[in-house]
Amino acid sequence: MFIARKSLPRRRFLRGAGVAVALPFLDAMVPAFTPLARAAALPQLRFGVVYIPNGVIVDQFFPKTVGSGFEFLPILKPLEPFKESLLLVSNLTRSHPGSQVGDHAVSAAGFLTGVWPKRTEAEDVLANTTIDQIVAERIGQDTPLPSLEVATEDFTGYVGGCSPGFSCAYLNTISWSTPSTPLPMEINPRSVFERMFGEPGTAAQRVARTRKERSILDSITAEANDLQRGLGSRDRARVGDYLENIREIERRIQQTEAHNTASTTLDAPVGVPDSFEQHAGLMYDLLAAAYQADVTRVFTFMLSRELSQRTYPQLGVSEQHHSVSHHTNDKVKIAKNVKINTYHMELFAKFLEKLRSTPDGDGSLLDHSIILYGAGMGDPNGHNSDPLPVAMVGGGVGRGHRHIQLTKQTPVGNLWRAVTAKYGSPVIEYGDSTGTVEGLF
């Protein structure tokens, strides 16, 4: 018998002038006669975190019932199409439950660290290595980027204390590589794109490339065509769809850059859309592409920053998000908060649909992921430390459509201990943990 099928390496790249575009997972990366479940190229279980600011209206987030088959309240309703891989965990708290000292700063800095950060307005910040970095140490060392940290708002120009007694550094990120090293979060889609696919350079060089209106894919067209001629029909379609997706992302970035360079707003960073929805959508699409190409298996995304002053006129909310979050139990303000919370969830649901519709080995990107959506604050009116809104979605959660209700004020570090065990790096302690969450996955 003659076996013609060849096996491509999982880390195959299409290379051009200053470009190295990784390929998605293909059937041709599995040797002939090798069952997919035993293939060395089988996709790893990925991990991602989406962080939302200023808490949520928790009684419109968590269902009234515990266990399987719960009903979806307004904020969570956009996730109903993903219920079969959805897990809710309630009654989690950040460190020092009940304390309002540090409020927004400790919400951001304490969520993935499980600790109360050092109280300082100087540069001697101290928290903990975050769960994403522990997972990245385990599953991200053979990818081009061990982890990817992105956001939509930049507060890095602020120094001193942005929250009473706490450094602005605590608000600028949710990811820490060591207890004393907060990781910067990139807000510019162009910079993220170039980290993933090449073409480094200064802002001036990026503007010059924008004026040429050239795609980085132009230089790999010939190699891509040669590759596709040797692939099966399913792989050809998969590569074609993948490259078209990258080209569409780049086109949207170029369109934004063309607008920004022609604008009179000279301080606007090249590549950052004026529209929050467009900005968040680009970041989500870049994260999906990074997963698909196995550029990274771990990400953190601050959808907005704590103390966010963003307004949402398209939702009928003209007040700043932070201001309206202090609702004083006013029904009108609570309704506006629910609108914002639901809108953020709708954007997240679009990302999940992108993952679910993207093939990956014997399933989809969503099948081979755990994506956590949550905040470091419960009800925002009193800067409540609990219950923290936490939803986990993806094939890695196992049986879905579940609501696990823990003992009140369970440290969030208990959750992170369960996550480290899921990814093969169990820890005995994590921050202020008192144990682990049993039966989670």
Side-chain angles (χ1 to χ4, degrees), residues 2 8 20 22 38 49 85 89 126 156 173 345 347 353-354 428:
F2 178 71
L8 294 175
R38 291 170 47 202
V49 176
S85 63
V89 184
L126 188 68
T156 55
T173 186
M345 191 68 80
L347 297 178
E353 182 55 41
K354 183 78 171 181
I428 298 175

Side-chain angles (χ1 to χ4, degrees), residues 94 99-107 116 119 163-164 166 171 383:
R94 64 173 187 254
S99 174
Q100 294 185 26
V101 177
D103 41 64
H104 292 279
V106 299
S107 294
W116 185 262
R119 189 167 186 175
S163 194
F166 287 85
L171 292 168
H383 292 157

Side-chain angles (χ1 to χ4, degrees), residues 105-115 117-118 120 122-134 136 147 149 167-185 300 302 430:
V106 299
S107 294
F111 185 56
L112 297 184
T113 64
V115 302
K118 177 181 179 180
T120 178
E123 296 180 359
D124 58 332
V125 294
L126 188 68
N128 190 21
T129 303
T130 45
I131 180 63
D132 60 299
Q133 294 304 297
I134 292 176
S147 63
E149 298 79 34
S167 169
C168 295
Y170 292 125
L171 292 168
N172 290 335
T173 186
I174 55 171
S175 183
W176 294 64
S177 60
T178 73
S180 59
T181 311
L183 289 173
M185 308 203 86
T300 48
M302 290 184 78
Y430 195 88

Side-chain angles (χ1 to χ4, degrees), residues 22 30 72 74 81 114 135 150 156 170 187 233 275 329 366 374 377 405 411:
V30 181
F72 285 76
V135 173
V150 300
T156 55
Y170 292 125
I187 70 164
S233 59
S275 161
N329 294 318
L366 188 60
M377 184 182 293
Q405 189 175 69

Side-chain angles (χ1 to χ4, degrees), residues 401-414:
H401 206 179
R402 286 185 294 152
H403 173 203
I404 296 178
Q405 189 175 69
L406 306 174
T407 302
K408 287 187 176 181
Q409 296 188 341
T410 296
V412 72
N414 289 20

Side-chain angles (χ1 to χ4, degrees), residues 318-338:
S318 57
E319 300 96 323
Q320 296 174 341
H321 184 190
H322 177 234
S323 298
V324 77
S325 72
H326 291 284
H327 52 74
T328 63
N329 294 318
D330 179 89
K331 291 183 179 180
V332 174
K333 288 187 176 181
I334 289 175
K336 289 180 178 180
N337 273 274
V338 171

Side-chain angles (χ1 to χ4, degrees), residues 112-419:
L112 297 184
T113 64
V115 302
W116 185 262
K118 177 181 179 180
R119 189 167 186 175
T120 178
E121 295 185 7
E123 296 180 359
D124 58 332
V125 294
L126 188 68
N128 190 21
T129 303
T130 45
I131 180 63
D132 60 299
Q133 294 304 297
I134 292 176
V135 173
E137 182 65 29
R138 176 71 178 182
I139 69 171
Q141 298 310 300
D142 59 347
T143 55
L145 302 177
S147 63
L148 193 56
E149 298 79 34
V150 300
T152 61
E153 292 181 276
D154 184 12
F155 290 170
T156 55
Y158 293 87
V159 295
C162 285
S163 194
F166 287 85
S167 169
C168 295
Y170 292 125
L171 292 168
N172 290 335
T173 186
I174 55 171
S175 183
W176 294 64
S177 60
T178 73
S180 59
T181 311
L183 289 173
M185 308 203 86
E186 181 58 61
I187 70 164
N188 191 330
R190 167 61 71 181
S191 297
V192 177
F193 189 86
E194 290 173 356
R195 283 188 67 194
M196 291 168 54
F197 300 118
E199 289 282 354
T202 65
Q205 289 170 327
R206 291 198 295 271
V207 171
R209 283 199 297 270
T210 300
R211 289 171 178 163
K212 291 180 182 178
E213 294 185 349
R214 291 184 62 247
S215 166
I216 68 166
L217 299 184
D218 291 344
S219 63
I220 65 169
T221 299
E223 186 179 358
N225 290 339
D226 288 342
L227 171 70
Q228 286 181 292
R229 279 193 286 269
L231 298 176
S233 59
R234 193 165 81 153
D235 279 350
R236 285 198 303 273
R238 189 169 294 181
V239 171
D241 291 345
Y242 167 67
L243 294 178
E244 281 304 312
N245 182 48
I246 294 175
R247 193 180 293 274
E248 172 59 19
I249 292 172
E250 187 181 32
R251 184 196 66 78
R252 286 156 56 195
I253 293 173
Q254 289 174 335
Q255 188 176 48
T256 296
E257 290 173 332
H259 170 77
N260 287 348
T261 53
S263 171
T264 56
T265 308
L266 300 179
D267 293 334
V270 171
V272 178
D274 294 332
S275 161
F276 168 68
E277 185 166 341
Q278 291 177 4
H279 193 177
L282 264 175
M283 288 304 197
Y284 273 136
D285 285 352
L286 283 164
L287 294 173
Y291 269 5
Q292 186 179 14
D294 207 32
V295 171
T296 194
R297 296 168 187 160
V298 179
F299 77 79
T300 48
F301 181 17
M302 290 184 78
L303 189 61
S304 276
R305 308 256 177 170
E306 291 292 339
L307 292 172
S308 175
Q309 304 299 308
R310 178 169 282 123
T311 61
Y312 296 86
Q314 73 275 33
L315 306 178
V317 182
S318 57
E319 300 96 323
Q320 296 174 341
H321 184 190
H322 177 234
S323 298
V324 77
S325 72
H326 291 284
H327 52 74
T328 63
N329 294 318
D330 179 89
K331 291 183 179 180
V332 174
K333 288 187 176 181
I334 289 175
K336 289 180 178 180
N337 273 274
V338 171
K339 282 185 178 181
I340 295 172
N341 297 156
T342 305
Y343 174 64
H344 287 166
M345 191 68 80
E346 289 169 350
L347 297 178
F348 178 58
K350 290 180 181 178
F351 171 60
L352 295 179
E353 182 55 41
K354 183 78 171 181
L355 297 182
R356 185 168 66 176
S357 63
T358 302
D360 187 53
D362 59 349
S364 69
L365 291 179
L366 188 60
D367 292 332
H368 301 143
S369 301
I370 294 177
I371 312 296
L372 186 140
Y373 182 97
M377 184 182 293
D379 188 282
N381 186 54
H383 292 157
N384 290 3
S385 59
D386 54 273
L388 301 182
V390 171
M392 306 175 80
V393 192
V397 307
R399 183 170 54 88
H401 206 179
R402 286 185 294 152
H403 173 203
I404 296 178
Q405 189 175 69
L406 306 174
T407 302
K408 287 187 176 181
Q409 296 188 341
T410 296
V412 72
N414 289 20
L415 174 65
W416 304 142
R417 280 190 58 186
V419 170

